[in-house]
Amino acid sequence: MTPPPDTPPLPDNAHVRQLDVTDLDAVMAFEARANPDAWSAALFERALIDRDQCVWGLYLDGTLCATAFIAWLPYDAELQSISVSPIHRRQGLAAALLARLKGCAVARGCEKVLLEVRASNHAAQALYQRCGFAVDGRRRGYYRCEDGRGEDAILMSCELSR
């Protein structure tokens, strides 16, 4: 699948590969730096082992700089997590990973990619919209917050062309 037209090309020093359980320590270290809401080690390990999930890593000069976790559903794919290291944000890495995931989903016969994102995460919502996702709805109070309140999740999806 061709990346969206506004997706910058990856630099020459970049490569993307599917991760596995041998990458767990690297994933955990990366996620601790990149994602304040990172999953537990058990969830990451399960994602790296489970055949119904796929984890991609984007490396620059051999350093893990971005990850994306996707779950394969019967007819769709669900983006469960995408993270980019703070110093590498706004360089097109997330869009490149999304394009790769969408291509994998098409190859698996998926009809669309689903995701949910915090209502306050406007940068991520804008990225997803640039990558072809549209808002489908809202889950009230889906995310837990430190103050005990819940934050809404915005539901988005992207129809895949075959």
Side-chain angles (χ1 to χ4, degrees), residues 69-155:
F69 293 73
I70 197 160
W72 304 119
L73 306 173
Y75 301 100
D76 299 323
E78 180 183 13
L79 179 65
Q80 296 182 326
S81 174
I82 189 163
S83 300
V84 177
S85 65
I87 64 169
H88 293 100
R89 291 182 182 154
R90 302 203 180 275
Q91 296 179 23
L93 302 182
L97 272 178
L98 281 171
R100 172 68 60 102
L101 293 174
K102 287 165 65 175
C104 290
V106 167
R108 286 185 65 105
C110 296
E111 297 173 5
K112 60 185 165 180
V113 178
L114 312 169
L115 64 85
E116 58 222 5
V117 59
R118 285 183 181 272
S120 63
N121 192 343
H122 302 292
Q125 290 173 51
L127 165 73
Y128 297 139
Q129 287 175 344
R130 283 193 311 274
C131 291
F133 287 79
V135 174
D136 294 325
R138 176 181 292 259
R139 284 194 180 121
R140 302 258 179 235
Y142 181 76
Y143 292 103
R144 290 186 181 157
C145 299
E146 288 181 12
D147 64 5
R149 294 185 190 174
E151 181 177 355
D152 292 356
I154 303 299
L155 306 175

Side-chain angles (χ1 to χ4, degrees), residues 149-161:
R149 294 185 190 174
E151 181 177 355
D152 292 356
I154 303 299
L155 306 175
M156 301 180 83
S157 67
C158 178
E159 298 286 332
L160 300 173
S161 58

Side-chain angles (χ1 to χ4, degrees), residues 7-11 91:
T7 301
L10 287 175
Q91 296 179 23

